[in-house]
Every structure is written in C-alpha cells, then in structure tokens.
Amino acid sequence: MAGETAVTERPEGPLIWVHVPGDGGLAAVTELIQRLHHALPAGLTAVVTGVSTGVSTGATAPAGSAWDGIVFAATPEDKRISVQAFLDHWRPDVVIWTRGHLRRHAISAAADRRIPLFLVDAAASGFDGGRLRWWPNRTRSILRKFTRILTTDTQTLQRLRTLGAQPWTLEKSGALQESALTLPYDEDDRADLAEALAARPVWYATDVPEAEGDLIIKAHSQALRRGHRLLLILSPRTPDDAAAFRAICKKAALATASRSERLLPDADDQVFIADTDEGRGLYYRVAPISYIGGTLQGGQTVSPFEAATLGSALVHGPRIDRFRHAFARLSAAGGSLELSSPNALGPAISTLNAPDQAAALAHAAWDVASSGAAVTDRVMSLITAALPMPSEAQG
C-alpha cells in the first residue's frame, strides 16, 4: 500500500490518524475507534495506516459494518514530501502511533504542525532495530516529540527511558487489546437454568461447527467416565446443525435434550443442545468451563474475551488466527488452556472439573479482560482531551 495516493475526501468533524504497524493490533484499535466514534457528540473518523487488511486503499467501509468510522489509507512513504501531502489532505487533529517501529519524517512533520502525538501499546519488540543503535540522537529526538507514551510493561518503559524518552511522558498502562462487551442474558432464564442444574458439573461448547461434532461428543464421553453427572451444553454454529449433533449423541448412546424441545435439562440428560437464540451470555454464566468452537477444526472463532468477562474458564485448540493476539495474551497470563490435539479435550475437561483448577484459569482470564478495558479507557481519555473544541475543529 505504501506510495499510493489516498482518494477519499476528508470527512467533516474530528479526525485522528492511527498507525498500526502490521495487522496484530487491528482488533484492539478498531474497538477503540468505534467506542470513540459513538461516544463523541460530533462522531469521529479515524484514518488507519500500516495494516494490510485487503480493504481498498482509501475506501470507507459500509455504514454499520465492523469498520464504521474508519477509513483505511495508504501509509505515506517516510519522506518529507509524502508525509506533508498526507497531512495536508487529512488534516488530523490527533496522531496515535501504536507499538513502535517509528517513522522519523511522519512523526516530525506532525509535531511541527503541533498535532498532539501519542505512542500507545508500545512494546519492546518495536524498538529493537539496528537503526536505534546507529542513530541514538535521532531516536531520542523522535521519542521526545510524543505528548504521552503508554507502554505494555516495565521492560519497555525502561527501554524507552534508556533511548531518551522524557520520563514524565512515560506511563506503564498495559497492553491495548480487544475485549468483549458483556453479553446480554435474561436473569429469569439464568436462575431457572441454575436451579435445574442443581450444582451439577457442566461445561459449555460454543459456536461448534458440524466438523467438530464427533470430537466434542467423544471428549464428553471420556470426561463422563470420571464424572458421571457431568453435563455438556452444546451450541451449534448454525441451528441447522442441531439435528446432526443429535444423531451423533444418539450413536454415542448419550441422553440428549434440546432447548427448542424442552427449556431446561433434567437430571438424566448428558447433553443439552442450545439450539435457540438466547445467546452465549446465558450459558457462559452457568458453565465454569467453556470450549471455543472451531479452534480444533472448522476455523473462525468467537472472541475469547466473551467468556473471560463472565468468569468461564477457557479451553481452545490451535486454530485461533482471527483472535490470535487475544488468545496469546490470555495464555501468557495463565488465563486459557490450549489443547495439543483433539484427543486432549476430554482429559482437559476432566482436569478442570476440579473447582480450584477452573477458578484459577477463569480468574486469570478475567484479570486480562478487565485490564484491557482499562487501557482502552485511558487512551480514550487522552484522545478526547486532545481533540479541539467544536469551534476550533479543522474539518
């Protein structure tokens, strides 16, 4: 995308330029922008550069899509004339640089125009290039153009201090990451379901594609050998898959009921198929263990932070491309359990049925999810305070 010319006109109202080196932080940045877009009375547009999303250069996503309020643009070459043309066209009110991999001319040109500059989600990996060793004075000069620098950890903060950042601009905030809004549910449904379970051990497999049906039921059959009262709540990826799952359960000789047939499981049910539209919010709240469907086979997963924010311990396979960074942060904090193979699912469920095991995993996941929300709030407050008052807006 570098070197192309943006073709979209600058929208009216406040506008920020957000640079994301690579795709790794795009989900978190998208959430940040959407929250700002809907929170500000005048709305907000973000011009995002650096990512390789496949979205046409300069194209604005359709209203109401995941890219609401975002324009993807070509990253200007790090040459003075290219950067000046980019700034002349978009006239950003604030510049947000994420992670690192700083571009000298882009940052200097924004600073020369007195545009507030924030470096957020700064990680040590973004400051380990050879140019930093060969041009220490230049690196110091660039870092000192930022109004505020938020680092993911103490190691990065100390690294940037050594490189010459002003100490009073540095702040260890933690990682900027995507989170999930707390999923809705009906409290009467939750209370009825909790009463029907009567303290039975239960695990939840959500968004399960038909391709995973056999292995999920096999894992449950294995776990039943160590806990005969264990109940599996299974949410098919599509309602049309429910009949296929029932057939698999019948073949495995498991007592099975469906939500569409009976609102609640009874004491003899071993599998309860959640084939109606109550949503994951209900089942995460009653299941201490959740498997994220599609991570062993079938691809495409739901956000792991949905379960993390509701106290359910997370189990998943290795196919996590869509939410790789979210899963990585949970795993690093001990907030999720990655399975080495499909055959590991049954033993993992049996192990986590010990209350202390599931609780430790769920607590660590909740810490990660809640800290991510706090970082997003902090960045939002910095941007909001730096935006011009309506009468001062450039657009």
Side-chain angles (χ1 to χ4, degrees), residues 191-380:
D192 290 343
L193 183 54
E195 183 178 358
L197 293 172
R200 283 182 66 181
V202 57
W203 68 290
Y204 176 42
T206 184
D207 195 47
V208 179
E210 185 177 354
E212 290 188 347
D214 286 318
L215 70 87
I216 295 294
I217 299 307
K218 178 183 176 182
H220 185 54
S221 297
Q222 291 174 333
L224 279 168
R225 296 170 193 162
R226 294 181 57 182
H228 69 279
R229 297 182 65 245
L230 180 65
L231 175 70
L232 164 64
I233 299 176
L234 190 154
S235 288
R237 177 161 293 176
T238 68
D240 292 341
D241 293 335
F245 288 129
R246 284 191 68 94
I248 296 170
C249 291
K250 182 177 180 180
K251 183 178 179 181
L254 296 176
T256 304
S258 297
R259 175 86 173 178
S260 59
E261 300 169 342
R262 174 155 37 92
L263 289 178
L264 299 170
D266 64 29
D268 295 326
D269 291 329
Q270 296 168 305
V271 179
F272 189 69
I273 299 177
D275 58 352
T276 54
D277 59 0
E278 282 79 11
R280 295 183 292 275
L282 172 63
Y283 301 112
Y284 283 139
R285 284 176 167 85
V286 298
I289 307 163
S290 292
Y291 165 71
I292 305 297
T295 58
L296 285 169
Q297 297 174 9
Q300 294 298 308
T301 64
V302 298
S303 170
F305 286 121
E306 292 179 349
T309 57
L310 296 176
S312 192
L314 288 163
V315 181
H316 64 89
R319 299 185 65 171
I320 53 175
D321 288 345
R322 184 177 174 189
F323 294 100
R324 180 166 299 279
H325 288 265
F327 279 107
R329 283 168 174 163
L330 288 166
S331 178
S336 67
L337 176 62
E338 181 171 343
L339 305 168
S340 58
S341 71
N343 291 332
L345 179 56
I349 299 303
S350 294
T351 298
L352 289 174
N353 265 327
D356 59 329
Q357 296 288 328
L361 210 65
H363 183 75
W366 186 88
D367 281 346
V368 173
S370 59
S371 66
V375 178
T376 300
D377 289 343
R378 174 62 176 141
V379 177
M380 283 183 65

